[in-house]
């Protein structure tokens, strides 16, 4: 891959306080990864492995204990300006969609474009129309989230994140809350996005998506990255016992 | 279903009616009160020397109660929203500020609060800030606007301290209502706003508070109704609202029952129209 990574994670550690006096729970342990422009990095692993926590650290939704994260040359720390810049440049799609229920699709997508990117109404309309076309729900522009199916809601959520024109997109189990028949419509949008060259970090249980659209696999267990391989290599010949055990269960 | 015993019902009903009649007769004989409802209407409106119809004491008090309740409810919602938000923040200082305010305002008798604010704000702060002087030196139209929106210029300082007391007192309850509303909003709404890069102000203004207000509208209405009712205690510092006027008229006419029944009805009309309006608004709100 080319020169400088767009995301650079070094020695990242994150623990959660245990319940009561129980020992703290290690969520992310000594993670060091570089992610380059245009890569689709798929993070897989058993539940509780720290995949989502790692992802949430990347835009500062979760604070980390030690180590460093640098995104597009901006270190993620407690400087308000840096944080804001990273929040603008990193789009995120959640498992539970998190659309704003009191706003129409148009308003959901337009809010941050208008308030954060400071675009004019006209530009905002153009961006919204373009993105809804991309995710295939142009006819629902004036609907409220509750009037949409889960798959449609998630596609609006993807459009909302894309409207900020981010450099990186994070997907946190984007299809896990969907009914089976709606998973493919969301995955298709994600695959197209990958084809368009978007840099993506995807936490998912969809091995089909990982194989088809992923460029790299990070296999995590107990907070650590156990394997960091090209997709083809990983599925053909996993190196570690833990990866083998996991793969034998999910495939 | 068990067969209903209508005979027993009948006996109980008759017994109750008889008891009622007995009480009525006893009271009627022992209670020598001459009702004089005819004296009441003149306290609503009067006709001045030049033949114009003018509002009289009861109506003037009614207006003052409406103005006082409106402004203090508005101020209470602003204070309460701010404090409710502070109460739910992660930052310890914010939480302590919110908590301290709520606990102090909620755990003090409003009557005591009124005295503190009256002697402190009414007598000192307003004088120190020159509010008194400012109100007295307003132009004719300025005075007219001030009277229409708040109170007569010469009573403005008292009005402010009454407004402030009610706002601070009711604000504590509003803060708890808002806190409840905020806690019922899913974490995902905060996270999505964060991830989109919205500023903290925009997050609350566009995403969180609109959802909160929809959820807590019924409780807020209840609090506004409380404010109207509680506003009667400021009569103690001579704010000429409905209850104060009632006491004045009673002192000069001794029409105890007529006056208080009339005033009860006036408060009732005010609060009932407010809750009817709120029910109407709830029905009109977009369902999502």
């Amino acid at each position: 891959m080319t020169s400088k990574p767009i995301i650079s994670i070094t020695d990242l550690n994150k623990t959660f306080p245990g319940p009561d006096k129980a020992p703290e729970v290690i969520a992310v342990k000594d993670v060091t990864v570089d992610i380059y422009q245009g890569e689709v990095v798929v993070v897989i692993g058993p539940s509780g492995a720290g995949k989502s926590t790692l992802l949430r650290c990347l835009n500062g939704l979760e604070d980390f204990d030690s180590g460093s994260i640098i995104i597009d040359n901006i270190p993620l720390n407690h400087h308000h300006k840096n944080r804001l810049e990273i929040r603008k440049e990193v789009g995120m799609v959640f498992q539970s969609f998190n659309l704003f229920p009191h706003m129409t699709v148009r308003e959901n997508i337009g809010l941050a474009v208008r308030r954060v990117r400071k675009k004019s109404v006209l530009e905002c309309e153009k961006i919204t129309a373009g993105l809804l076309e991309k995710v295939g729900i142009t006819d629902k522009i004036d609907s409220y989230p509750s009037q949409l199916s889960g798959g449609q809601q998630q596609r609006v959520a993807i459009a909302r994140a894309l409207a900020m024109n981010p450099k990186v997109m994070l997907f946190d189990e984007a299809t896990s809350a969907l009914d089976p028949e709606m998973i493919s419509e969301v995955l298709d949008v994600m695959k197209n996005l990958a084809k368009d060259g978007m840099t993506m970090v995807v936490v998912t249980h969809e091995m089909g998506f990982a194989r088809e659209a992923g460029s790299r696999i990070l296999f995590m267990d107990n907070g650590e990255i156990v394997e960091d391989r090209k997709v083809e290599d990983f599925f053909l010949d996993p190196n570690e016992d833990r990866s083998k055990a996991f793969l034998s269960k999910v495939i | 279903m068990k067969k209903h015993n209508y005979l027993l019902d009948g006996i109980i009903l008759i017994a109750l009616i008889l008891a009622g009649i007995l009480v009525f007769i006893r009271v009627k004989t022992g209670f020598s009160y001459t009702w004089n409802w005819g004296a009441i209407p003149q306290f609503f409106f009067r006709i001045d020397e030049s033949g114009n119809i003018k509002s009289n004491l009861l109506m003037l008090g009614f207006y003052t109660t409406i103005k006082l309740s409106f402004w203090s409810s508005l101020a209470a919602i602003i204070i309460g929203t701010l404090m409710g938000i502070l109460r739910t923040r992660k930052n310890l200082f914010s939480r302590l500020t919110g908590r301290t305010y709520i606990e102090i305002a909620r755990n003090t008798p409003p009557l005591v609060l009124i005295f503190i604010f009256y002697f402190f704000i009414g007598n000192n702060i307003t004088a120190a800030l020159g509010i008194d002087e400012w109100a007295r030196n307003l132009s004719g139209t300025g005075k007219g606007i001030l009277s229409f929106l708040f109170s007569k210029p010469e009573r403005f300082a008292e009005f402010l301290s009454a407004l402030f007391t009610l706002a601070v007192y009711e604000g504590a309850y509003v803060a708890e209502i808002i806190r409840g509303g905020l806690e019922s909003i899913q974490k995902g709404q905060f996270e999505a706003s964060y991830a989109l890069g919205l500023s903290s102000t925009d997050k609350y203004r566009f995403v969180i508070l609109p959802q909160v207000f929809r959820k807590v509208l019924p409780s807020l209405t209840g609090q506004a109704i409380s404010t109207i009712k509680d506003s009667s205690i400021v009569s103690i510092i001579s704010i000429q609202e409905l209850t104060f006027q009632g006491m004045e008229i009673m002192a000069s006419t001794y029409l105890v029952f007529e006056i208080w029944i009339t005033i009860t009805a006036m408060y009732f009309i005010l609060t009932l129209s407010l809750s009817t309006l709120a029910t109407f608004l709830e029905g009109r709100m977009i369902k999502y």
Side-chain angles (χ1 to χ4, degrees):
Chain A
M1 280 278 169
T2 47
S3 57
K4 252 189 137 185
I6 189 158
I7 302 177
S8 180
I9 308 170
T10 318
D11 289 328
L12 194 75
N13 279 288
K14 162 83 184 163
T15 51
F16 286 111
D20 258 343
K21 280 175 186 159
E24 14 180 59
V25 180
I26 297 168
V28 177
K29 194 178 169 198
D30 299 329
V31 168
T32 300
V33 180
D34 282 342
I35 295 167
Y36 295 88
Q37 181 81 48
E39 275 193 306
V40 176
V41 177
V42 182
V43 187
I44 60 173
S47 70
K51 312 177 295 280
S52 285
T53 310
L54 175 65
L55 198 73
R56 288 160 60 86
C57 281
L58 290 181
N59 68 349
L61 259 182
E62 219 58 85
D63 284 328
F64 48 90
D65 302 338
S66 66
S68 76
I69 295 175
I70 298 171
I71 296 178
D72 200 27
N73 293 325
I74 307 163
L76 177 60
N77 50 28
H78 283 286
H79 286 290
H80 182 71
K81 231 175 133 185
N82 288 356
R83 255 185 131 74
L84 179 63
E85 203 51 41
I86 285 177
R87 284 159 59 198
K88 281 191 208 167
E89 300 306 338
V90 178
M92 186 160 191
V93 178
F94 299 85
Q95 178 177 355
S96 49
F97 329 138
N98 295 345
L99 290 177
F100 306 136
H102 59 301
M103 294 184 185
T104 60
V105 167
R106 183 200 302 274
E107 292 162 343
N108 260 285
I109 297 175
L111 179 64
V113 180
R114 301 267 297 122
R115 302 295 305 178
V116 183
R117 289 282 188 221
K118 313 274 184 208
K119 302 270 193 208
S120 70
V121 181
L122 219 68
E123 277 177 291
C124 182
E125 287 292 301
K126 229 197 243 161
I127 292 171
T128 309
L131 284 171
L132 284 180
E133 180 135 22
K134 201 169 183 172
V135 299
I137 26 180
T138 35
D139 52 330
K140 302 287 186 187
I141 189 159
D142 288 313
S143 304
Y144 284 89
S146 59
Q147 297 165 320
L148 305 178
S149 72
Q152 290 170 329
Q153 288 190 49
Q154 192 60 301
R155 285 186 281 153
V156 172
I158 294 174
R160 181 176 69 174
L162 287 175
M164 289 292 288
N165 198 17
K167 296 201 172 89
V168 177
M169 283 284 281
L170 310 177
F171 292 84
D172 189 4
E173 304 201 17
T175 55
S176 301
L178 295 173
D179 291 337
E181 75 271 22
M182 291 169 183
I183 291 177
S184 66
E185 63 186 59
V186 173
L187 288 181
D188 286 344
V189 170
M190 289 166 65
K191 283 174 197 163
N192 285 334
L193 205 55
K195 251 181 246 158
D196 291 348
M198 174 63 75
T199 310
M200 292 161 68
V201 184
V202 185
V203 171
T204 187
H205 296 294
E206 297 292 329
M207 294 305 141
F209 172 83
R211 268 191 191 159
E212 202 179 318
S215 47
R216 236 166 105 190
I217 296 281
L218 297 183
F219 176 76
M220 286 183 78
D221 192 16
N222 290 329
E224 291 172 297
I225 294 185
V226 179
E227 281 202 51
D228 176 0
R229 306 269 301 280
K230 282 197 161 170
V231 169
E232 312 86 76
D233 300 346
F234 179 80
F235 283 107
L236 278 175
D237 174 30
N239 280 339
E240 304 282 331
D241 290 342
R242 280 188 279 181
S243 335
K244 284 177 194 159
F246 177 74
L247 278 182
S248 69
K249 271 184 225 156
V250 295
I251 297 181
Chain B
M1 212 174 122
K2 214 179 132 208
K3 195 175 167 263
H4 210 90
N5 193 342
Y6 290 103
L7 182 68
L8 185 64
D9 284 359
I11 293 170
I12 292 174
L13 191 65
I14 289 166
L16 279 175
I17 291 171
L18 287 177
I21 291 172
L22 184 71
V23 170
F24 183 76
I25 291 169
R26 296 284 298 185
V27 169
K28 188 105 172 101
T29 46
F31 179 83
S32 57
Y33 187 82
T34 15
W35 293 88
N36 182 11
W37 283 102
I40 296 299
Q42 57 173 319
F43 295 115
F44 281 98
F45 295 101
R46 66 187 167 86
I47 294 166
D48 68 1
E49 308 81 53
S50 41
N52 296 320
I53 297 176
K54 289 263 160 126
S55 301
N56 206 352
L57 296 177
L58 282 178
M59 283 319 279
L60 292 174
F62 192 59
Y63 302 149
T64 306
T65 293
I66 292 176
K67 289 186 275 193
L68 191 60
S69 311
F70 175 78
W71 291 114
S72 41
S73 291
L74 194 70
I77 287 172
I78 294 169
I79 297 174
T81 306
L82 274 173
M83 291 297 169
I85 290 175
L86 285 186
R87 191 97 159 70
T88 54
R89 299 288 293 204
K90 243 195 246 159
N91 182 293
L92 180 67
F93 179 72
S94 305
R95 272 185 293 143
L96 281 178
T97 311
R99 179 90 196 268
T100 309
Y101 160 69
I102 290 169
E103 296 303 352
I104 289 179
R106 251 194 343 182
N107 294 308
T108 342
L111 199 54
V112 174
L113 272 184
I114 287 202
F115 284 127
I116 293 174
F117 280 109
Y118 178 55
F119 291 118
F120 191 60
I121 297 183
N123 289 0
N124 296 311
I125 303 273
T126 48
L129 293 176
I131 292 175
D132 262 348
E133 221 181 280
W134 170 80
R136 275 178 231 273
N137 292 338
L138 277 174
S139 65
T141 23
K143 278 186 176 165
I145 293 171
L146 192 72
S147 307
F148 179 72
L149 291 177
F150 298 96
S151 74
K152 284 191 212 127
E154 57 273 20
R155 307 217 54 114
F156 188 54
E158 284 93 340
F159 187 86
L160 269 190
S161 41
L163 192 163
F164 204 72
T165 318
L166 283 172
V168 165
Y169 180 68
E170 308 290 338
Y173 294 88
V174 174
E176 285 295 85
I177 292 171
I178 296 287
R179 179 174 72 102
L182 282 169
E183 280 169 358
S184 75
I185 302 289
Q186 281 174 358
K187 229 174 97 200
Q189 296 290 310
F190 291 88
E191 293 186 345
S193 317
Y194 173 90
L196 283 169
L198 291 176
S199 70
S200 193
T201 324
D202 281 357
K203 172 176 72 186
Y204 281 106
R205 180 171 156 207
F206 294 106
V207 180
I208 306 299
L209 288 180
Q211 298 183 54
V212 168
F213 281 122
R214 268 168 230 233
K215 285 194 178 179
V216 303
L217 185 68
S219 323
L220 277 186
T221 314
Q223 204 52 48
I225 288 173
S226 278
T227 309
I228 294 175
K229 295 186 291 181
D230 293 346
S231 74
S232 67
I233 56 174
V234 304
S235 59
I236 202 81
I237 55 168
S238 305
I239 301 294
Q240 295 168 342
E241 45 69 73
L242 199 46
T243 304
F244 179 86
Q245 305 288 35
M247 291 197 288
E248 293 281 283
I249 301 171
M250 190 187 64
S252 57
T253 61
Y254 297 106
L255 294 171
V256 184
F257 290 97
E258 292 88 337
I259 288 295
W260 292 117
I261 290 169
T262 309
I263 283 178
T264 308
M266 289 172 86
Y267 275 115
F268 184 73
I269 288 168
L270 200 56
T271 50
L272 186 68
S273 11
L274 185 63
S275 51
T276 311
L277 179 74
T279 314
F280 172 74
L281 282 179
E282 272 170 56
R284 284 280 304 263
M285 242 163 4
I286 306 160
K287 303 277 192 298
Y288 56 75

